Each structure stands twice: as structure tokens, then as C-alpha cells.
Amino acid sequence: MESNDLMIEHNRDLMLRPNEYLKPGSSVDSVLDQCLGDIDDYSLNVQDLGSSHIDDHRLAVNQSNQYNMFLRHGDVQNYEENGLDFDSDVKLDADQGHNDVDDQENQLTPISQGRRLGLMEKHELAIQKHSVSHENSSSDVKQNQDTTLVIDTPVIQSRVHDPVPNHQLTVGQQFPDVHSCRRALRDAAIANHFEMKTIKSDKTRFVAKCASEGCPWRIHAAKLPDVPTFTIRTLPNEHTCDGITHLGHQQASVQWIADSIERSLRENPHYKPKEILEEIHQVHGISLSYKQAWRAKERIMAAVNESFEEEFHLLPWYCHQIGRTNPGSIAVVYGNSVDRSFERLFVSFKASIYGFLNACCPLIALDEMLLKGKYHGTLLLATGFDGEGAVFPLAFAVVDDESKGEWMWFLSELHNLLEANIVNMPKLTILSNRQKSIIDGIEVHFPSAFHGLCVHHLIDNFSKEFNNTILANLLWEAAFALTAIEFEQKITLIEELSEDAAHWIRRIDPHQWASAYFEGKRLGHLTADIVESLGSLILEASGLPIIQMMECIRRQLMMWFNERRETSSQWTSILVPPAERQVSVAIEHAHTHQVLKVDDAEFEVISAEGSHIVNICSRNCSCRRWQLCGLPCAHAVAALLSCRQNVSRFAESCFTVANYRKAYSQTIHPIPDKALWRELSVGLDDAGYSSVELVIKPPKSLQPPAAKPRKKRVCTEVSGHMKQTVHCSRCHQTGHFRTTCTVPL
């Protein structure tokens, strides 16, 4: 009997179960029964050649020629997933050796004759080619005496993956209705690369045959009595044709394309027809026309647009579910008092509120983005920043473009949620583009806050006036300058290049944007580009219906909180990694500084750049980097090291790992499917029912239809082609035809 060896290589352990070992001298029958007992079609036969112990046995797989066992990356795939029905036996044999093997770990390979099963470096099973000659077939397997032979059950397991659709058709197979039946047959034809010609199709039967001339394949499906279920009645013959040879497919209709891409298009409404063509070709191997892809997208978007209205109706229920699944969160929707049309939606999760108030720096950035869906609207955002400098979303709002005072209302809601969750309101620093509505709202609701101008917004406006990269870079350097002297030096350089540019900059109060003059605590954050920081998440969600958009944002927040919570659990330092790296650099520079002690708190630090005064009690340095960035500068580090202090403990608390973990310690929980909302709302009191039964209609402001791009017409003189001269056959003059000739004869 030719066999395939189960080998052990490099004295590695082959594990069966925890605390169960097969060692030389131990019986294998019971353990092997446990190991392979889960596989129904296997039986264990021990072929004893004089001993019942492991010394005299070799593991061999005896398989029938018509079946294969598949392995990938060391996992034995479940034979039911591959449509196989194994009836082979696993037998134990003896007195056969093994040769060197080649790792084919990353290939999906059947165990067939001439291949053996090897245990590689990481206890992974792999298929390896080998050739056994008659001369060495009786050689013994040599093993180190310290080698422990153990078979681990995780070796035999199924890999978790998305189920592959089964397009096999069988007699008796049932479908919920005639449409499902037609869809399944169409999918089977496309998957199996043959085209199908419909003979009869009505409410009670469906008959089709293979479109290839002379192929006997035929299928008959019929409706069962008194139910809409369809079943396959006859499927008499197999295909004798070679299938289709062209790249298209008769069954790949526009509706089939729409069904295939519906999920992708709902997740990303900006999915282009060209990308649809690429996906269909990659998944199904079919080449379609651009018009088919465009029509399929239009069909899906028409259905999506219908859901825009429905989701506005469901907003009260959605807000209730946020409060039910995430207690302490705030979710409220407002409608017009006259016609109940949508005006505003405000959402803030309890996990975000807790993390911001207890672990983040008291710094809020405000930003907005226009929505790209069916209706006009704007997404308002308020975020903090965590210890690593990443945005920490605090609150979101959607407002109709026709509603007035949206920032005044948003800042009012923001103030209320902060005031309700903390005893003493911290003195905040707020960054924005300082438009008038934001300035007015901050003066009313956060009168004591420091209001800074986003430097990115400032430089964008500057670049529109002065398209000069050198000037823009100097403006960035002026914004980051730590002292007034450094700031004036940068402005002077700008003035030398362009007096107009310097005059434009001096018109804007530097106390609003320059680090050297700004009084609030920004800790190095000079911009409020939240939309740009959130990236594709916000851009893709901005075209979805309102609840889908908010759910897209919530899911991303949920994953961020979990990922960052798990990542920070592995950190062992006092400060978060970016802060730890900055402190390490400061320590390297500090070794070159000379420290003169004044008293227990004050030090004079002399460096190559000059002399600086450091006070470790008030945590400031005359270079101002410590105060502005929140981390000890090189001068402060030199002073702290001279008195044997732990440098990391003199950083702002928001940079510590403990605070970072606290920021993401709470969980954002998922929202159930909307089909369950009414069922889960059982037990609401009268006030609760009155809030969820509130009717919210879509806003009045519709997005205008996309304008058809104008054709670019090329002037004939510019293109180099002269306009053709026409002649009249009646008067023989140029410039007109005979039919339009008016010359008297």
C-alpha cells in the first residue's frame, strides 16, 4: 500500500491535547480515538507488527483515490466545507522512514500520492513532496530521545471564513418564491460559466435549458401547492458543452449587477461605475459595459434615496435606542414647530463625555462639513485630543441648512452636556475658524474660554492671496515660534519678501493664533481640521441617509475605543509612546547642558544656545516650550536630572498612560437593527412614547441634481484645422448652399 507519511521534523512536538502525551512506550489507541473521533467517516485501525507501542508504529494516512483532504497554513479544512465525503481510514503502520521535505505551507494542496504531511517550525502541518525508494523504504524514523510525541487537537480544525455561496442545483431543492428561484438559477449559470435560455416562466413554473447548441442540460422548477415555495422537479442531464468562451454573460442583467453591488454601494455611495466593472470582473470573471454598471448604480441609488425619507421618520426611535443601549448618552432631535420638518440632531456618547472630562486636555476643536446626500445639511463636530495627539470625538450634530443659529444651538448643547457631567467646568481652550456665528456662540456659552484661530484655516486664506510656498512656510514657523522675539524675526523675513503679505498678517491679532502670544493651553495643537483628521470615514458617510451616517460614525468610534484600549493595555511606560520619545530626545540633549542650582525649585541651565531659567515647582522654562507643549524641554530635563527627579512625572497628566487608558475605559455599545426598535421599546411610559412617536419629516432643502458636464468644444483655428468653405451651385458664390441662396439671377 502506497501511503503518505505524517512526519515530525526538527524534533518539534506534535501536540494532541493539553496534558495528554504519547511517549515511547505508551499506548496510542485511546488517544488516537479521542484525536480523530470527531471525524465521522474515519475509523482507526492499528496494524500491529509485533508491538502495541509507539516505538514500533508510524502514522500513515490511507485514503481512497477519489477523495482528498485539504490543508492550508497548518489547518485541516472541514471536509464538509469542500463538498467531500471521506470514507478513508487512518491506519497505523511501521518500519518506514522519511526523507527531506519542502515546505508548501501557503498552498491549498490535496494530500495525494507522493506527498507527505510534515510538522514544521511553528507546529504547523504542511504538505511536502517526497520520493521513497525501495532501498530506504524500510529505514526507521530517527528521533532524539528527548523528543515528545504529542498530537494536538487544534491541528484538526476548520478555518473561520466567510461562507462561499453554494451554486450547485439538485432535484428537490426549494426556494422561497419564484424570484428567488430565478435568482438562484441565474447565479448558478454565472458561477458555472454557462448561459441559460428560458423556455417557460410564469407564476407556477420555470423551465430553462442550456443555451449551447446540442447540450442536453435542462431544468424544470414548479410551485408547491398552497405556498409560494418553488422546488426543482427535474434536472435530468449534465452539461456536455464546454460552457461559454466569451467574456460577457447573458444572465448578467442590470438587476443582477445591482443585487451584486448593493451592499458595497450602500456602504460607499461614491462607488464609481468603473469600480463596479472592476469588482464584477474580479469576483465573477465577467466583462460588462460601462452603461450597464451606470444603470445598476442608478437603480440602487433610487432605492437608497427612498430610505432618506424613512430614516427621518425613524430619528426619534433612533435617539431612544442610543439612550437605552448607552445610558448617560445624549441624543435629541428637533423638528420645525409648524410642519415638523427636520431641523437638528445632536448626539454625544457617554463614553466620549467621560473620557474627555476625566482624561483629556481641556481643549476642544470645532469643525463642519457639508453633507452630500439627497438633502442639504451640515455635519457639526466637536472633538478633544488624546495623549497621542489623535482626535477624540466628543459630539456630533446634523443641522438643516435653512435653520438659523446652528452654531449658537450646538455650543448650547455642548455646554449643557459638559455642565451636567462635571461639578466645576474647566477653563477650556476652543479652536475653530473663528467665523462670526462661532464667536457669538462662544461668548454666550463659554465666556471664560480661550478662543484660538485654526492656523491651517489662516494659512489657506493667506495662500489664496499670496500663492507663494516660501511665504506660507514662514507663516507656519511664525505660528509655532515660542517667544515674541522669534515670532517677530519670522514676520520680518516675510516683510522682506513681500510687504503686502506682512501687512495682511499684521491685520490679524497674533493673540488668536501665534503660540508666542496665545494665552490658552493648546499643548502643540494649532489646527482644528477634524474632517481632514477623520479622513475617508466622514467623506464616505456624508452621502448616506442620516441614520446610516450616524451609525457609520458610531461603529468607527466603537472600534477606535476598543482598539486603543487594547493597545494601551500593552504599554509599560509612564507616558504614551510619542511623549516618551520626545522626553528621550530631551534627555539626550540635556547631557550637554550645564546646570546651576539657585534653590530647590529654581535652576539656571546653560547650553550652546544661551542661558535659560527653569522652575520645577511652577513647571516653566524661559524658553516656554515646557509651558506650551506640556512636556519638559531639554533645559527642564537637565534641571530635573540634576536633582534626581523622574522626568516623566513632570509631564501634563493627559500624556500619561494611566490617563490614556481612562480616556478609552468606557465602551460604546452597538444599536440593534431598526426592525427591533418597536419591540425593544415595550414598557415605555407616556412621556417616552410621546417622544418616540414624534413625527419628523424630511427637510425642505433638497440637493440640486448633478449638472451634466458641458462638452468641451475645441476651436478649429486653435486645433489647427481650417473650417471648410462651402459653395453655392446656383450662384457659384461662397458662404452658403443652393437651398439658402437669395442672390437674384
Side-chain angles (χ1 to χ4, degrees):
M1 175 188 70
E2 295 187 18
S3 62
N4 298 291
D5 296 344
L6 178 61
M7 305 181 31
I8 301 165
E9 187 170 310
H10 302 302
N11 295 330
R12 309 296 293 181
D13 292 345
L14 180 62
M15 304 203 55
L16 175 63
R17 281 183 172 82
N19 303 324
E20 293 185 10
Y21 298 90
L22 280 177
K23 298 181 179 179
S26 64
S27 176
V28 300
D29 297 70
S30 61
V31 181
L32 286 174
D33 283 336
Q34 295 176 1
C35 174
L36 299 176
D38 294 334
I39 303 180
D40 296 334
D41 296 331
Y42 274 80
S43 61
L44 297 177
N45 299 319
V46 179
Q47 182 180 357
D48 196 342
L49 299 181
S51 173
S52 62
H53 300 295
I54 192 65
D55 299 68
D56 303 319
H57 287 84
R58 173 179 57 81
L59 287 176
V61 179
N62 178 23
Q63 59 180 27
S64 59
N65 294 331
Q66 56 186 341
Y67 298 122
N68 291 322
M69 180 186 295
F70 290 89
L71 298 151
R72 187 187 301 216
H73 299 290
D75 295 332
V76 178
Q77 298 294 328
N78 191 305
Y79 60 89
E80 293 180 352
E81 295 182 17
N82 293 283
L84 304 178
D85 184 18
F86 289 108
D87 60 355
S88 55
D89 297 329
V90 175
K91 295 186 178 182
L92 296 176
D93 204 353
D95 298 335
Q96 290 193 17
H98 68 279
N99 294 333
D100 296 336
V101 294
D102 299 322
D103 187 9
Q104 299 179 359
E105 182 181 9
N106 295 324
Q107 298 182 2
L108 184 65
T109 312
I111 303 178
S112 56
Q113 296 183 3
R115 295 182 183 271
R116 65 172 64 185
L117 198 60
L119 191 67
M120 306 309 294
E121 292 291 340
K122 297 182 180 179
H123 305 279
E124 295 177 344
L125 289 175
I127 308 298
Q128 296 126 358
K129 296 181 180 179
H130 75 105
S131 58
V132 181
S133 62
H134 294 288
E135 289 78 3
N136 62 7
S137 61
S138 59
S139 60
D140 296 334
V141 178
K142 296 181 180 180
Q143 301 178 12
N144 190 299
Q145 292 182 354
D146 296 331
T147 301
T148 303
L149 287 178
V150 190
I151 300 177
D152 188 8
T153 50
V155 172
I156 300 179
Q157 61 183 356
S158 297
R159 181 174 298 280
V160 178
H161 55 78
D162 293 334
V164 178
N166 183 11
H167 297 298
Q168 297 297 323
L169 301 175
T170 58
V171 175
Q173 187 174 350
Q174 294 185 353
F175 309 96
D177 50 46
V178 65
H179 300 292
S180 301
C181 178
R182 292 170 184 165
R183 171 73 189 187
L185 296 180
R186 189 185 304 119
D187 290 342
I190 292 173
N192 296 318
H193 305 292
F194 71 91
E195 289 182 338
M196 187 171 57
K197 183 177 180 180
T198 302
I199 300 175
K200 294 179 182 179
S201 178
D202 53 36
K203 295 181 180 180
T204 60
R205 58 184 174 176
F206 182 86
V207 182
K209 68 175 184 178
C210 180
S212 296
E213 191 69 28
C215 181
W217 185 88
R218 185 183 179 95
I219 188 169
H220 176 209
K223 179 180 175 296
L224 295 178
D226 302 326
V227 291
T229 305
F230 264 64
T231 182
I232 297 179
R233 291 289 179 83
T234 59
L235 191 61
N237 300 308
E238 296 292 334
H239 285 279
T240 59
C241 62
D242 296 329
I244 58 175
T245 57
H246 54 85
L247 296 178
H249 202 289
Q250 183 179 343
Q251 269 66 53
S253 62
V254 171
Q255 185 59 48
W256 178 85
I257 301 170
D259 293 340
S260 301
I261 64 168
E262 181 175 5
R263 179 178 177 182
S264 301
L265 196 56
R266 286 185 180 274
E267 293 175 354
N268 179 19
H270 307 293
Y271 210 35
K272 298 179 180 178
K274 183 179 179 181
E275 296 171 334
I276 295 173
L277 294 176
E278 293 174 354
E279 178 182 335
I280 294 296
H281 182 72
Q282 182 179 1
V283 176
H284 302 283
I286 299 175
S287 295
L288 304 171
S289 67
Y290 184 91
K291 185 176 181 180
Q292 284 179 296
W294 181 85
R295 290 175 60 194
K297 178 181 178 179
E298 289 298 305
R299 189 168 296 187
I300 294 298
M301 292 310 297
V304 170
N305 287 336
E306 291 179 1
S307 65
F308 275 89
E309 288 79 5
E310 178 190 3
E311 296 206 353
F312 280 108
H313 298 322
L314 292 174
L315 275 177
W317 292 92
Y318 179 67
C319 293
H320 170 70
Q321 290 301 316
I322 290 177
R324 189 187 66 83
T325 57
N326 294 270
S329 300
I330 298 175
V332 57
V333 60
Y334 298 93
N336 186 285
S337 58
V338 177
D339 58 6
R340 309 309 304 169
S341 61
F342 171 81
E343 284 191 342
R344 299 172 179 130
L345 169 69
F346 182 89
V347 175
S348 181
F349 292 96
K350 176 63 177 179
S352 296
I353 300 171
Y354 176 86
F356 175 79
L357 292 176
N358 292 279
C360 293
C361 173
L363 172 65
I364 294 178
L366 304 177
D367 203 358
E368 64 182 354
M369 186 185 67
L370 295 177
L371 301 182
K372 300 179 181 179
K374 182 178 179 181
Y375 294 94
H376 279 291
T378 304
L379 178 67
L380 308 181
L381 307 100
T383 72
F385 298 90
D386 65 20
E388 286 195 302
V391 293
F392 187 88
L394 175 59
F396 302 89
V398 178
V399 296
D400 178 35
D401 281 356
E402 293 190 354
S403 61
K404 306 298 181 182
E406 64 275 4
W407 277 111
M408 181 69 73
W409 163 79
F410 181 72
L411 291 168
S412 172
E413 295 286 346
L414 192 61
H415 177 271
N416 292 339
L417 79 86
L418 294 176
E419 192 174 48
N421 287 275
I422 196 170
V423 177
N424 297 317
M425 178 74 71
K427 193 165 186 178
L428 296 173
T429 297
I430 300 177
L431 297 177
S432 74
N433 59 10
R434 286 188 65 90
Q435 58 177 278
K436 187 178 185 306
S437 57
I438 296 180
I439 294 175
D440 294 342
I442 290 176
E443 289 178 352
V444 172
H445 300 291
F446 298 96
S448 62
F450 299 102
H451 188 190
L453 172 63
C454 170
V455 176
H456 195 281
H457 177 77
L458 171 68
I459 293 181
D460 277 348
N461 291 337
F462 177 81
S463 298
K464 292 175 183 177
E465 295 288 335
F466 308 96
N467 188 15
N468 188 312
T469 305
I470 297 176
L471 293 176
N473 291 337
L474 287 173
L475 184 55
W476 271 111
E477 294 174 7
F480 280 95
L482 300 177
T483 63
I485 295 175
E486 294 177 13
F487 175 82
E488 290 300 330
Q489 289 174 349
K490 300 301 180 183
I491 299 299
T492 302
L493 291 175
I494 293 175
E495 190 172 16
E496 292 175 357
L497 295 175
S498 172
E499 292 184 1
D500 292 339
H503 177 70
W504 188 95
I505 295 171
R506 292 189 188 279
R507 289 189 298 108
I508 303 172
D509 186 359
H511 290 86
Q512 298 176 1
W513 59 276
S515 297
Y517 295 97
F518 188 74
E519 298 178 0
K521 183 180 290 187
R522 294 186 293 186
L523 300 183
H525 297 286
L526 273 66
T527 63
D529 294 325
I530 304 173
V531 173
E532 185 175 335
S533 300
L534 295 177
S536 59
L537 162 68
I538 294 294
L539 293 177
E540 292 178 3
S542 63
L544 296 173
I546 187 167
I547 292 179
Q548 294 182 39
M549 178 182 68
M550 299 306 295
E551 277 295 273
C552 183
I553 295 173
R554 182 199 57 77
R555 291 188 185 104
Q556 186 62 57
L557 293 184
M558 181 176 66
M559 291 189 294
W560 277 349
F561 269 65
N562 180 64
E563 291 168 0
R564 294 172 184 178
R565 184 166 52 244
E566 292 180 349
T567 300
S568 63
S569 66
Q570 308 297 322
W571 295 341
T572 57
S573 58
I574 297 176
L575 303 179
V576 297
E580 195 73 29
R581 288 192 292 269
Q582 291 186 44
V583 170
S584 298
V585 172
I587 291 175
E588 292 180 6
H589 293 164
H591 291 310
T592 63
H593 298 349
Q594 180 185 0
V595 180
L596 303 177
K597 184 175 181 180
V598 179
D599 53 32
D600 290 341
E602 192 173 13
F603 299 82
E604 181 181 359
V605 180
I606 303 173
S607 64
E609 295 82 15
S611 175
H612 293 278
I613 300 174
V614 176
N615 191 308
I616 62 175
C617 288
S618 59
R619 298 191 177 188
N620 63 66
C621 175
S622 58
C623 77
R624 302 190 74 241
R625 183 176 298 276
W626 194 0
Q627 302 94 291
L628 296 179
C629 298
L631 295 171
C633 60
H635 315 114
V637 169
L640 291 169
L641 292 178
S642 68
C643 54
R644 298 183 180 181
Q645 294 290 332
N646 188 334
V647 176
S648 298
R649 300 195 180 279
F650 284 82
E652 288 285 343
S653 60
C654 62
F655 292 110
T656 62
V657 172
N659 268 33
Y660 187 93
R661 290 171 179 167
K662 185 184 293 184
Y664 295 102
S665 61
Q666 302 292 307
T667 302
I668 296 179
H669 299 283
I671 307 296
D673 186 84
K674 59 185 178 182
L676 304 174
W677 290 354
R678 290 184 179 272
E679 178 183 346
L680 294 172
S681 299
V682 174
L684 281 177
D685 54 18
D686 294 339
Y689 264 116
S690 63
S691 63
V692 297
E693 291 292 350
L694 179 68
V695 177
I696 298 294
K697 298 179 181 179
K700 301 175 183 178
S701 53
L702 281 168
Q703 292 275 17
K708 184 178 180 180
R710 294 174 60 88
K711 292 184 178 179
K712 186 177 181 181
R713 302 186 183 277
V714 181
C715 179
T716 56
E717 287 79 4
V718 175
S719 63
H721 298 286
M722 297 302 296
K723 188 175 180 180
Q724 183 180 0
T725 303
V726 297
H727 297 269
C728 176
S729 61
R730 179 172 175 267
C731 67
H732 304 290
Q733 295 182 13
T734 60
H736 62 273
F737 294 100
R738 179 184 181 88
T739 55
T740 58
C741 180
T742 59
V743 178
L745 294 178

